[in-house]
Amino acid sequence: MSNQNIYIPYLMRIEKITREAPGVKTFRLKFENEEEAEAFSFKAGQFGEYSIMGVGESTFCIASSPTRKGYIECTFRQAGKVTSALSLAEEGDVVGFRGPYGNTFPIDEWKGKNLVFIAGGIALPPMRCVIWNCLDLRENFKDITIVYGAKSVNDLVYKDELAEWRSRPDVKLVTTVDPGGETPDWKGEIGFVPSVLEKTAPSAENTIAIVCGPPIMIKFTFPVLEKLGFTEENIFTTLENRMKCGFGKCGRCNVGEVFVCKDGPVFSYQQLKLLPAEY
Amino acid sequence: MNELIKSAAALLESNAVQVVIGYGKGSASRTRAIFVTNVTDCEKLIFDSRCVQNLAVYLTKQEIKKLGKPAIVAPIPVLRSILQLAVENQITENDLVILGITPESELINFETFASIETFLATHRIAIDEKYQEIISKIKNMPVAERFAYWVKELEPCFKCYACRAACPLCYCTRCTVEDNQPQWISVAAHPLGNLEWHIMRAMHLAGRCTDCEACYNACPMAIPINLLTKSMLQDVAENFGSYGPSLDKENTLSSFKPDDKESFIR
Amino acid sequence: MYAPKVKGKLTLFDEVNAFGEIAEDYIVTSNSAKEIVFPRAEKLFSYHKSKEKAEITDAANNTFPDVILWGTRPCDAAAFIPLTDIFNSDLKDIIFNKRKDKVLVLSFSCSRSDDYCFCTSVNSGPGNIAGSDVLFTKLTTGDFLAEVITEKGKSLVDENKDLFEVKSEESKESNLAVVASRFNQEEIQAKLKDLFENPVWDDKSRACLGCGSCSYVCPVCSCFDIQDEAHGNKGIRLRCWDSCGYGLFTLHTSGHNPRNTQGGRWRQRILHKFLYMPNKSKVAGCVGCGRCSRSCPADINILDTLTSL
């Protein structure tokens, strides 16, 4: 590896495109090169730089679980230059992927514990990886609760998988939409994720909480978790920050002494509190 | 300049302004912009021939606007920029107090933009003969030679954008170089990227630039971009007759009428 | 060969073709020598694509030129240490390393300094050998003391034995400039962690215009952007200079900007160089050359901030 040019991406073919929500797509990607596919591995929490040649690179987590071999998945919302170009790609097209970068969710340390996953909107993709990872190793964990909300019913991503999670007896799924985002036949909760979390009131005893969402949601979720009795070392989140290289050299994602790309993106609440408010 | 210090102190004392933007002692033998917010610090205000930085650039900065209503020390280059900013509706007369300084070191408190224009009518922009010679020489080069000349002159440029940052008229909150859909101007500082940037900047300033040379003074590589600004001024004067900002004439090159005789504009 | 060359009123590192082109009377050049290993625009790879296929040509397979870097000051040479660290921590940037391997650094000690210099305050000095292959110090006799620091430096000396003579105990110190200490670096490092909310950042950066001058002339700064440049089906991906001083450096596509004030960006510059880098990577973030202050169009002097802490 040490004589390889770290800026060169793997070439990936888009095997499947799923429209998740308005402006949001999931790509299933396969390695063009068999040997690279064999040699590749990653852990839940890691991300990559996905690119269209000639347009640029964009940072998304790897949204599929490492327990499922042969492909990786990413989910993104069309927002800027690169995601707009990616949105125009079709099944069969070739895109670039550099990775895996970043640290990982310490799943091994969670064995024998209850897990509560809390996510909002487009922040479910970084969680989906670790959720499936844990569900694929279901016997390792006790109760699994998922609290997920979006602005409206249409904005919920992974709708098929939500149905699958809901149908499983070994998972408690609570979905919610913001007030005004419900449809007449909506059967889930109505309210913002932090308040729905408070209502769900999962026990903090022997439990790990994993949170991911827009800054405003995180801001109101942490106090709820603290109120419910969760301690700082038992709350985890995955951070987003502007990134370019993904491996701690370009300087863009530097916050305090850490690079979000290299020392993160997974941080415990305890670690997060030590960072200056610059993310 | 005692009068300057007295005026500044009086303005702060009466709370007519909350900050005085002026020149103070800098590193070695330089001067720098200072932002005086209390009466005692007015002592730090100086004015001499070393004070060439164009302070008008601070009038559009969010960090300075937060300090409150400013008084600004304004030698002629600053006055010209203030007038141009007024023409472009970036400032109104109530936004600031102008402590004009004439070439004879007289202090004039300009209360209206019209009075600045009247004053500047007797201090017109003039392009020094030595620059006129160089510009003529370049303009007389055949195109290939002229292109090679500029590629070579721009070679040290590393696109720090100090020229843009120092220019009072580059106040766009998002510059064209920062557009990436599409990426009009290459980000990298290679010969093409450098040409793209300087050509684009010259075009965006044509008809607006008042030849304060802030861009040239700011450039850490001493690239003679003032040749571009002076050349533009000459071209605009020759083709459109104007030579400096004016409150009643329309802005050359950035005014538009539906019945414009140029057909490409329709 | 790259050496200091006079250009108008400045002295710049540039390619030289004759000995007579080399400037002699300079404290530091206006630009730094980092371009030799970290160019303004560095091609990473080129590609040729169609809808279903893409071919990539690795730019790391190119040949990089042998370079003699002549006339670097000890501060310039010392800067290669943090630069090399950044490009080699965890993942290794092989293009940077290939360029660096081909450079011979022949530095000259400083016999004079000015008020912008503060190398002695950042664990460096006018005779620092760090980062050089050979360090020359001019002696009162007109000869030069040559300290041979690396194997590369030794092979140069071995190939030119007739120019060198082994001497003992030449007085280096008396031929060096005296650079007064301006601040205590350890004290500052200790203080900085509690100064995040301090008004000093806004106060000292009020005149800052938000250009990238300080980052670009700095021999240590290495923040970069990655850009694609396409021409039809072909194109390149390159690495180019960037600066944390720009307003849009940290802007998210969503519009959220974690560092949206100039004061916050000035704070980042100082904290990154004087706290984060020494703490995390154990390398200096600043070599005390003073270029940032010399070039700043608004005359923001880094010493003003550091000595006021």
Side-chain angles (χ1 to χ4, degrees), chain A residues 70-91:
Chain A
Y71 62 84
I72 59 169
E73 287 178 327
C74 67
T75 303
F76 62 91
R77 184 209 299 281
Q78 178 184 352
K81 180 180 177 191
V82 179
T83 46
S84 296
L86 283 168
S87 295
L88 294 174
E90 293 171 350
E91 286 172 5

Side-chain angles (χ1 to χ4, degrees), chain B residues 155-177:
Chain B
E155 200 275 324
C157 174
F158 39 50
K159 301 252 243 151
C160 65
Y161 300 122
C163 46
R164 171 186 77 178
C167 174
L169 297 177
C170 281
Y171 51 75
C172 290
T173 45
R174 189 150 176 155
C175 175
T176 304
V177 295

Side-chain angles (χ1 to χ4, degrees), chain A residues 2-9 11 13 32 51-57 79-80 90 92-94 98 101 215 240-242 244-245 247-252 254-259 262-263 276-279, chain C residues 44-45 47 49 51-54 56 58-60 86-95 196 222-228 230 237 239 242 249-253 256 258-259 264 267-268 272 275-276 279-280:
Chain A
S2 61
N3 54 359
Q4 273 190 21
N5 184 337
I6 52 183
Y7 299 94
I8 293 190
L11 293 174
R13 194 167 292 280
E32 277 286 87
S51 59
I52 298 267
M53 297 298 173
V55 181
E57 300 181 305
E90 293 171 350
D93 284 357
V94 171
R98 279 197 295 116
Y101 298 132
E240 216 182 46
N241 213 13
R242 183 79 181 157
K244 275 276 172 165
C245 69
F247 40 60
K249 297 189 194 310
C250 76
R252 220 174 221 79
N254 173 233
V255 183
E257 284 180 29
V258 309
F259 287 107
K262 205 166 76 154
D263 306 297
E278 279 190 327
Y279 53 86
Chain C
L44 301 169
F45 62 84
Y47 68 85
K49 74 172 182 180
K51 203 157 161 44
E52 301 98 40
K53 220 157 61 89
I56 291 181
D58 189 347
I86 269 266
F87 284 104
N88 281 284
S89 79
D90 284 354
L91 298 182
K92 299 190 185 319
D93 186 323
I94 54 174
I95 295 180
F196 198 82
S222 60
C223 283
F224 59 85
D225 194 358
I226 299 178
Q227 288 282 323
D228 282 15
R237 185 165 292 167
R239 190 217 301 135
D242 208 340
F249 187 66
T250 48
L251 178 70
H252 294 205
T253 309
H256 171 59
R259 247 178 250 137
R267 173 181 59 200
Q268 167 65 8
H272 188 90
L275 179 64
Y276 306 153
N279 270 359
K280 190 84 191 288

Side-chain angles (χ1 to χ4, degrees), chain A:
Chain A
M1 275 300 271
S2 61
N3 54 359
Q4 273 190 21
N5 184 337
I6 52 183
Y7 299 94
I8 293 190
Y10 294 113
L11 293 174
M12 316 289 283
R13 194 167 292 280
I14 303 178
E15 190 185 54
K16 180 159 172 254
I17 299 181
T18 311
R19 285 182 153 61
E20 302 287 351
V24 181
K25 286 185 179 173
T26 296
F27 282 3
R28 175 171 294 196
L29 304 172
K30 288 191 104 111
F31 287 81
E32 277 286 87
N33 182 315
E34 277 296 316
E35 278 168 14
E36 285 172 355
E38 285 297 303
F40 183 79
S41 71
F42 73 99
K43 294 205 171 124
Q46 294 191 298
F47 68 94
E49 296 288 339
Y50 301 79
S51 59
I52 298 267
M53 297 298 173
V55 181
E57 300 181 305
S58 195
T59 311
F60 321 125
C61 59
I62 302 175
S64 52
S65 171
T67 48
R68 300 169 184 211
K69 306 278 179 213
Y71 62 84
I72 59 169
E73 287 178 327
C74 67
T75 303
F76 62 91
R77 184 209 299 281
Q78 178 184 352
K81 180 180 177 191
V82 179
T83 46
S84 296
L86 283 168
S87 295
L88 294 174
E90 293 171 350
E91 286 172 5
D93 284 357
V94 171
V95 299
F97 165 75
R98 279 197 295 116
Y101 298 132
N103 67 351
T104 66
F105 288 106
I107 297 180
D108 286 340
E109 291 167 27
W110 299 346
K111 286 192 180 146
K113 294 185 192 269
N114 305 311
L115 304 176
V116 179
F117 296 99
I118 305 140
I122 191 67
L124 184 55
M127 302 276 277
R128 175 187 184 246
C129 170
V130 69
I131 291 176
W132 275 122
N133 199 164
C134 295
L135 290 179
D136 284 351
L137 303 168
R138 188 63 186 87
E139 65 282 5
N140 286 349
F141 310 100
K142 294 208 137 97
D143 296 339
I144 292 186
T145 310
I146 305 170
V147 178
Y148 172 54
K151 250 210 206 110
S152 72
V153 176
N154 229 359
D155 288 312
L156 294 165
V157 300
Y158 305 133
K159 296 182 176 68
D160 288 346
E161 287 169 42
L162 287 174
E164 204 183 318
W165 293 338
R166 186 179 304 289
S167 69
R168 284 176 71 133
D170 59 354
V171 173
K172 179 176 176 184
L173 174 67
V174 179
T175 44
T176 180
V177 293
D178 291 357
E182 69 272 20
T183 48
D185 59 345
W186 175 247
K187 294 207 172 43
E189 297 286 335
I190 298 172
F192 297 111
V193 169
S195 42
V196 170
L197 172 67
E198 200 168 350
K199 184 175 163 198
T200 312
S203 163
E205 171 95 26
N206 194 34
T207 312
I208 303 286
I210 306 102
V211 193
C212 190
I216 185 96
M217 186 204 104
I218 303 238
K219 186 170 163 195
F220 288 105
T221 303
F222 281 148
V224 171
L225 287 170
E226 283 179 314
K227 202 162 147 192
L228 291 169
F230 284 84
T231 53
E232 289 174 359
E233 327 82 74
N234 289 328
I235 304 173
F236 287 85
T237 185
T238 168
L239 271 194
E240 216 182 46
N241 213 13
R242 183 79 181 157
M243 293 180 194
K244 275 276 172 165
C245 69
F247 40 60
K249 297 189 194 310
C250 76
R252 220 174 221 79
C253 69
N254 173 233
V255 183
E257 284 180 29
V258 309
F259 287 107
V260 177
C261 65
K262 205 166 76 154
D263 306 297
V266 175
F267 292 102
S268 69
Y269 191 32
Q270 190 180 41
Q271 291 168 317
L272 207 65
K273 274 191 160 170
L274 297 173
L275 297 180
E278 279 190 327
Y279 53 86

Side-chain angles (χ1 to χ4, degrees), chain B residues 31 34 41 48 55-56 84 131 168 170 180 199 203 219 222 228 263:
Chain B
T31 60
I34 60 172
D41 287 340
D48 57 46
L55 299 176
Q84 184 64 31
Y131 285 114
C170 281
N180 70 351
I199 292 173
M203 295 310 292
C219 179
L228 288 170
S263 61

Side-chain angles (χ1 to χ4, degrees), chain B residues 219-223, chain C residues 5-12 23 29-31:
Chain B
C219 179
M221 296 287 109
I223 297 171
Chain C
K5 213 166 144 182
V6 172
K7 180 181 180 274
K9 45 184 176 153
L10 302 180
T11 304
L12 302 176
T29 50
S30 296
N31 60 347

